[in-house]
Amino acid sequence: MSPVVNAANSSEATTGRPFFKQATVLILSPRTAEQIRIKTWLQSSQVEVLLSAQLSEVREQIVAHHIDLLVIDDHSNEDHQATAGLALQLIEGIEALQLIERIESVQRWKIPFVVLTNNVNTETAVEVMKRGALDYLVKDDRLEDRLRSAAQRALANSRANQILSNLEGELNQFEQRTRLILDTAAEAFVSIDGDGTIVDWNVSAEKIFGFQTQEIVGKNITETIVPERYRQQVAEALLLFKKSPRLSESLRKFESTALKKDGHEVPITLSLNVVELETTHLIAGFACDISKRCDLESQLIQSEKMASLGHLAAGVAHEINNPVGFVTSNVATLVEYIEVFKEVITLQTEALEGVGSADDSLLSAQLKKIEQYKQKEDYEYLKGDIDDLISESTEGLIRVKEIVQNLKTFARVDDAETKEANINDCLDATLKVIWNEIKYNCELVQNYGDLPPLRCYPGQLNHVFMNLLVNAAHAIQERGTIVVTTKADDKQILVSIRDDGHGIEPEHLPQLFTPFFTTKPVGKGTGLGLSIAYGIIQKHKGMIDVKTEIGKGTTFTVELPFEGVEG
């Protein structure tokens, strides 16, 4: 007996190599001889044949085995060859109905089946095929070949369906695993189409943003979690994405602010990518709530600010003490001057009281006394000097006020919102705070260009400039120069701070921005200054470049792009 093989694969058909794993065919026939005959045709190393005489046995076989094909032997007409006329038609009609009933039972099990019959009634054949039979085969001399061919097609279809079912099962498992991974991820997962419509939303997204999946999927992202000040920018980016479904490097990973359901904003970091489907492209990404990290960063920056101001405290006290000293001296002098003025006023009052008396000599004597007193106390000089004393004292108090104001600017915790600031003003404010640290051994050269306002965190940038300027001063051993230069181009503002000090050793450069790395003696530095400065500049999407040469000095260049931080 030739095995049932896949006729579509000629190499496998000719070599006899199995196309399927062993398939199972169940023959439903009440006649033992017919069961054996059909089994002989189909049995092979690739096909196992099971036998059932009754429909009830078929149910048991289906429970016990995976049936790939059911062969139904319709034995009607085999016992009615002598019957003729109307009686034969009646018998055929009844047996056809019985066959249909058996087929309807088989349909519930969703198993491919073929029917073998002696009944050549066309209506019955059509009805059987309508009921889902793979074939309706008449028992004649070609039955063996036709049955094998039908079985081959049926088993191939069964195997294909099984493969498809397995693939669907694997796909379902993959989708379930993917959904499990997404729903157990700590980060929010969100995907949107080119119009900004939210397609997917995981459990963490529900927790971070406050929207449940069923209430936000299908809504537009710009109307839900995008703050109003960014909506135009996001809409424009989506229009570009629809024209060309790609993301620039700056949009693949960045920090931003999102809107929660309750109206509050939350700082997030976004990692985005493009998902290509058959008919469209999606933007999918993970969002992480960085509120705690931002709080810790703010605390660390604030702590470093306090530590830096602690190191500068003596110099700042000296800067305050100088104007306070001469203001105090001027006030003491003014007190003495006031005593002279009070005495002159007293004498003049006494003289006025004598006006109109009969004795003019008394008035003349009083006026002479006043004049003598003025000459003795150098009254005219005092009148001129008092203006200078007040002017100097006012300048001194303004100087103290500026120092205190700048200290407050450095000491305060920055607001979460960004501000527009002039970088030249930031540098001037920083220099006023640290002036005592650099004025004794450094000449300061300020080459400021015309700069447009920059949206930034001014207090944090002041901290960066303070670290760089103090480090520059410390790098100069005896006497040197610090040059501060600012300029702007179409994309960014550049701030360079150059000193002509010792320079940085080459082996120290790779660790320059590493936390707690310092070349200063114990107690002179925390090792966090440049590390925090680097983080602040990164937050502004900028860069710090370092060029150094031993014996000639070091230049730090800070690049601050105009689109660094969001409004």
Side-chain angles (χ1 to χ4, degrees), residues 472-528:
H474 290 173
I476 296 172
Q477 299 298 323
E478 295 180 358
R479 189 73 189 172
T481 303
I482 296 176
V483 179
V484 181
T485 304
T486 64
K487 61 181 179 179
D489 56 28
D490 294 339
K491 297 181 179 179
Q492 61 191 351
I493 290 175
L494 300 174
V495 179
S496 72
I497 297 174
R498 175 170 57 86
D499 66 72
D500 54 5
H502 176 267
I504 302 172
E505 299 293 341
E507 62 268 22
H508 293 159
L509 282 174
Q511 298 174 284
L512 204 58
F513 299 105
T514 303
F516 305 109
F517 174 78
T518 180
T519 59
K520 296 177 181 178
V522 176
K524 294 293 185 180
T526 63
L528 289 173

Side-chain angles (χ1 to χ4, degrees), residues 9 51 114 144 252 265 288 393 437 447 504 530 537 551 554:
N9 192 322
L51 305 176
V114 296
E144 179 179 355
R252 290 191 176 273
E265 293 189 356
C288 182
S393 298
E437 194 77 13
N447 298 325
I504 302 172
L530 285 178
I537 299 305
T554 302

Side-chain angles (χ1 to χ4, degrees), residues 4-18:
V4 177
V5 297
N6 182 12
N9 192 322
S10 59
S11 63
E12 292 176 345
T14 54
T15 60
R17 180 161 51 89

Side-chain angles (χ1 to χ4, degrees), residues 3 61 134 270:
Q61 296 282 21
L134 295 177
L270 277 169

Side-chain angles (χ1 to χ4, degrees), residues 198-216:
I198 297 172
V199 177
D200 206 350
W201 187 267
N202 73 345
V203 173
S204 290
E206 295 180 347
K207 295 177 181 177
I208 292 174
F209 301 110
F211 292 95
Q212 296 298 308
T213 302
Q214 60 270 21
E215 68 177 316
I216 198 167

Side-chain angles (χ1 to χ4, degrees), residues 381-431:
Y381 170 77
L382 297 185
K383 281 174 60 178
D385 192 40
I386 195 170
D387 292 334
D388 293 338
L389 290 175
I390 292 173
S391 177
E392 289 176 2
S393 298
T394 302
E395 290 178 4
L397 291 174
I398 290 173
R399 174 64 181 152
V400 172
K401 180 182 177 182
E402 288 178 347
I403 294 172
V404 172
Q405 187 62 46
N406 290 327
L407 283 172
K408 287 174 64 178
T409 300
F410 271 85
R412 73 165 182 255
V413 178
D414 274 323
D415 296 331
E417 295 293 328
T418 58
K419 299 178 180 67
E420 283 197 348
N422 187 295
I423 296 302
N424 290 340
D425 293 341
C426 292
L427 285 163
D428 285 339
T430 304
L431 287 166

